[in-house]
Amino acid sequence: MSEGIEAVVMPKWGLAMQEGMLAAWLVEEGETVARGQEIAEIETSKIANVFESPAAGVLRRRVAREGETLPVGALLAVLAPASVHEEAIDRFVAEFEARFAEALAARKAEAAPEPATLEAGGRRIRYLEVGEGEGPPVLFLHGFGGDLTSWSLNQEALAGERRTLALDLPGHGGSDKRIARGDLEELAEAVAAFLDTLGLSRVHLVGHSLGGAVALRLALDRPGRVASLTLVAPAGFGEEIADAYLEGFLRERRARKLRPVLEMLVRDPTMIGREMVEEVLRYKRLDGVPEALAKIRESCFGGGRQRILLRDRLAELPMPVQVLWGREDRILPARQAEGLPEGVAVTILEECGHLAHMEKAEACNAALRRFLAGG
Amino acid sequence: MQLSREDLLEAYRRMRLIREFEDAVHEEFAAGNIPGFVHLYAGEEASAVGMCMHLDDRDRIASTHRGHGHCIAKGCDPRAMMLEIFGKREGLCAGKGGSMHIADLEKGMMGANGIVGGGPPLICGAALAAKTLGTGGVAVAFVGDGGSNQGTTLESYNLAKVWNLPAIFVIEDNGYAESTASSWSVGGSQTGRAAGFGMPGVEVDGFDFFAVWEAAREAVERAREGGGPSLLHVRLGRYYGHFEGDACTYRAPDEVERLKAEKDPLVLFRRRVGEAGLLEPTDLDAIDREAREQIARAVSDAKAAGYPTEADLLTDVYASY
Amino acid sequence: MPKKSFRQAVNEALRQEMERDPTVVVMGEDVAGGMGAPGEQDAWGGPLGVTKGLMPQFGRERVLDTPISESAFIGAAVGAAATGLRPVAELMFVDFMGVCFDQIFNQAAKFRYMFGGKATTPVVIRTMYGAGFRAASQHSQCLYNIFTHIPGLKVAIPSNAYEAKGLLIQAIRDDDPVMFFEHKAMYDEEAEVPDEPYAIPFGEANLVREGEDVTIVALGRMVNVARDAADRLEGEGISCTVVDLRTTSPLDRETVLETAAETGRVVVVDEAHPRCSVATDIAALIAQEAFESLEAPVRMVTAPHAPVPFSPALEDLYIPSADRIAEAVREVHGHGRR
């Protein structure tokens, strides 16, 4: 910072403006300008306008060239008293631009990553890839009726140190809605095909609810592909399941009727916002979704009980396994986490419902990081 | 003539059924047994039957308010029709349509229409469907001389022509649109209008089954082969009024008598087949008898049958609501 | 979730349904454009480009340009629907209904009933409605109330691009004749619209906003204007429920009555003329069935009883604004208090 030196930067005209083009300078270097004096013409994709000087002073340096396009906030010119030396102006410009470059990089990083799709095993699979780092990437598998956004509080947190992927299971999100049988084998096959297509030889698998059972199924079938297994309130650990939830989830088409059903998922009902309810409604309207969900429900949870029992095979698994469960889970009772083989790390989260990875995101992320450190 | 013996008997049977049906309805209406409006086709039988002999289940027809004849000619069940006209629950339209809306889409009869000129656009649609789905079917609009002046009819000529539809427009000109003579109300000529729209149009003696049959054959063939629409201007005469209850004072005093005496299509048919030695009078007498009995039974069934109930009032407004 | 315009959403619905079902055909004036002309084919894709791209993909056997003869081609759409096709016909401006109304209200609407349940007429008639284009009195009316009145017809009026795609897909799959209303000033408005096909059921109103003080019932473009008013009123401490009717026939009576009873204070917003309208229909329903719950008379915010004027100065006064809606809400909110 130098005494009396002021930066004149590319203005932001409107929320959408990202950059502008300096069409013409209206003043010369060395001219004295008054505050509000028109000093340049700037064009954006929406408008062209004269730019008024934000301050009074001597225009010592025209940094931007005519015709140059610069991002909002970039240095256009420098105002300073005539007494300030040229070197001081140089220094100011260099420092400003260095700082600005950092800020710009940070701004770009903030722009939300978008999901992509690929063809795997004859199916379209939508997935979101965020982050990079050493070691096997983390693959997140959501639960029944959910999608990859289920992991929004977890993926982001881990993306700083690790490559993470979250996918939409068949029948869900933006993935192919065609379901043949709806059993765990079919779903696990789809995930395996996804891994093959991306060339992922080994991943840390994280699965929630039905996604947990799918993860376990995959780990049992292809143990070499799974570096570690984190199961959050997984299915497949007992017979009991809240059939009323499944019934309600499939049946209700109106927001006011669906809301109490979704509230069963969490301990604190205020967590279920209007937008979430609306998103579920919109998902359920997509062609093929009711059929897909019905098939999966029938295969895995037909007759109001879990038809998939995998807990007895946990001991077979060579990789580290941990289980996280909310104490107040009303969909799959937390007592299903009891009596597991010794090697399985179990964490019961207090004051927590079925969506443990959302309700207690920090605790879950910490547990996950511990496992990643191990592998 | 390429009509087989069976065809000839069938043609006569249909015409006779129509005549018996309409005469019976005339009687029952006069006796106060039939609600609403009826418009009778007696005297015009050759037109409906001459055309419909060429049609099968792929084909569709639309009619006017004077629809009983077309309905029978297309193969609809006269008993169910009679029940419908009496407003009974087991009627062809469950008692919901009546004489003016008598229809059976399963038989390709898209309905008598209470709106003059309602049929031709519908027939353009049926022809479009046949063409798009490749069924080989044709669609026939029966239009009165009155309906021939309606905008919908003329627009349909144009649409059928520019879309090259397998459609046929049969203008049944009985000389009167209600009480107004067609000789006055129709500007130009029916065939001239057809030519104006670029479509073939022919004059047909509507009292002569064989003349209608021949003209229809050509039109149907043309349509089936992708040759586009045609028009038949069929001149004929109705025995009864525009509607039942019409005093018909606009007609000449002996007009109907002379029609019946000289231009009865059934009598003319008999004479032709007799002279050509194609059928025996006894064949036709048997048909006369059977038809009379069939219609008599239909009337007594209609009288005995039950009406729809309140539970039927709101059914079939929508497929689902 | 991709953002698409109302126009794109309608186009996508048509395209996806035509891909799925070969009996779906599109017909209307200039729905492709250039028919018989020496220049570009698919020149227009409809007057505002909504059907552009369909003819190149599906051919002129399934995307049919028509002469200017509504009574013939709307009637043909009806007849074709009754005999095996699922036509989506375009009545370019609903103001033109006068030349083809018989085909809609006397033929299509009545076949099933008149023929004793033995007819199915799955025709969709898409039509443009609404003011704001300076198109004046013969190109700016709403008129959905007239079709709502007719037993046998269904009427859908989407309020945004998401609704448009889902309601149009439903309309095409529906076995009854459906009038589908598109506001001409909304075609560029965007919303999140899934790439996959989906259907929004008829007869299910949408709660766009939920509040405790006043219920605003609206339809079509007015839903968005009502929501703007509601956002503003939130700042004044008045919280509003905003109900998007989605379809006037069938009508979600239950949601209308439930939300009316919750607040006891109702404002109905309808862009159409005020007499014998959807607004009066809703108001009468509430007065009859929710009378005990009412704390204030039902207020209606509508256009005036006048043709739509041409001059922008007048047309802007004609269309119900967020200001007028807010005023009506304040009025019912304050009724009987103090």
Side-chain angles (χ1 to χ4, degrees), chain A residues 161-173:
Chain A
E161 64 226 49
R162 188 66 70 141
R163 184 180 175 201
T164 71
L165 301 108
L167 61 73
D168 290 329
L169 292 170
H172 295 78

Side-chain angles (χ1 to χ4, degrees), chain C:
Chain C
M1 180 70 53
K3 281 212 150 186
K4 294 170 193 167
S5 68
F6 195 102
R7 174 190 289 105
Q8 286 172 303
V10 172
N11 187 283
E12 202 166 271
L14 289 169
R15 185 174 48 78
Q16 288 178 342
E17 285 302 283
M18 289 178 80
E19 283 167 358
R20 184 187 62 81
D21 182 349
T23 67
V24 178
V25 299
V26 165
M27 64 178 79
E29 295 157 7
D30 309 287
V31 287
M35 184 68 184
E40 189 198 347
Q41 299 303 293
D42 200 35
W44 277 25
L48 295 182
V50 178
T51 45
K52 197 134 170 90
L54 295 178
M55 191 282 286
Q57 181 173 348
F58 297 101
R60 285 196 177 279
E61 300 75 41
R62 289 186 68 197
V63 180
L64 298 113
D65 282 337
T66 69
I68 302 179
S69 47
E70 279 79 2
S71 75
F73 77 77
I74 295 290
V78 173
T83 54
L85 292 183
R86 300 188 84 93
V88 182
E90 184 180 292
L91 176 59
M92 196 188 277
F93 289 83
V94 72
D95 317 67
F96 302 166
M97 62 168 250
V99 297
C100 62
F101 196 44
D102 184 81
Q103 284 69 33
I104 300 170
F105 93 106
N106 267 340
Q107 312 296 331
K110 295 178 168 63
F111 280 168
R112 174 173 288 268
Y113 190 81
M114 285 196 306
F115 299 163
K118 287 149 77 175
T120 301
T121 316
V123 64
V124 177
I125 297 173
R126 292 178 42 247
T127 189
M128 286 201 290
Y129 79 103
F133 247 45
R134 321 331 192 164
S137 51
Q138 293 175 340
H139 285 69
S140 307
Q141 295 164 95
C142 292
L143 305 181
Y144 34 63
N145 56 319
I146 297 180
F147 299 90
T148 303
H149 178 74
I150 309 297
L153 293 182
K154 292 182 174 168
V155 181
I157 309 155
S159 60
N160 63 46
Y162 173 81
E163 299 285 321
K165 179 175 171 179
L167 288 171
L168 183 53
I169 288 177
Q170 175 62 38
I172 294 170
R173 294 178 184 180
D174 203 289
D175 279 343
D176 290 307
V178 181
M179 296 295 303
F180 189 82
F181 281 79
E182 301 167 12
H183 200 294
K184 59 178 73 68
M186 285 178 67
Y187 283 123
D188 290 327
E189 290 180 18
E190 293 192 340
E192 289 190 353
V193 180
D195 289 335
E196 293 163 79
Y198 57 96
I200 298 176
F202 286 174
E204 296 185 5
N206 192 30
L207 296 184
V208 162
R209 225 179 173 284
E210 283 178 85
E212 295 92 47
D213 298 321
V214 177
T215 302
I216 307 175
V217 181
L219 64 163
R221 186 173 185 230
M222 291 296 111
V223 172
N224 307 305
V225 185
R227 208 206 355 239
D228 287 346
D231 287 344
R232 198 182 305 173
L233 289 160
E234 192 75 49
E236 295 172 27
I238 301 176
S239 88
C240 298
T241 292
V242 177
V243 179
D244 174 1
L245 290 178
R246 280 192 176 138
T247 56
T248 54
S249 178
L251 179 70
D252 185 353
R253 296 167 39 109
E254 211 181 284
T255 298
V256 170
L257 293 171
E258 195 180 298
T259 52
E262 278 167 9
T263 63
R265 297 166 195 272
V266 183
V267 173
V268 188
V269 185
D270 181 359
E271 189 185 320
H273 310 305
R275 299 294 311 280
C276 304
S277 59
V278 170
T280 55
D281 187 65
I282 300 293
L285 170 68
I286 294 172
Q288 180 158 279
E289 308 283 340
F291 179 73
E292 309 299 337
S293 316
L294 287 179
E295 302 284 343
V298 177
R299 273 275 269 126
M300 297 180 282
V301 180
T302 69
H305 185 73
V308 184
F310 163 66
S311 174
L314 291 180
E315 196 185 32
D316 290 344
L317 291 174
Y318 179 94
I319 303 168
S321 64
D323 280 342
R324 280 179 52 209
I325 297 171
E327 195 185 300
V329 171
R330 286 187 206 104
E331 199 184 298
V332 302
H333 182 247
H335 184 88
R337 299 197 216 256
R338 213 190 316 128

Side-chain angles (χ1 to χ4, degrees), chain A residues 16-27:
Chain A
M17 181 180 169
Q18 301 283 333
E19 59 188 18
M21 191 263 285
L22 191 109
W25 280 111
L26 301 176
V27 288

Side-chain angles (χ1 to χ4, degrees), chain B residues 78 112 180 214:
Chain B
T180 304
E214 190 52 50

Side-chain angles (χ1 to χ4, degrees), chain A residues 9 21 31 43 93 99 110 195 212 283 287 355 368 370:
Chain A
V9 302
M21 191 263 285
E31 248 183 79
E43 280 177 30
V93 170
R99 270 198 319 275
E110 267 163 38
L195 293 176
Y283 156 65
D287 273 5
L355 300 184
L368 199 40
R370 275 199 299 277

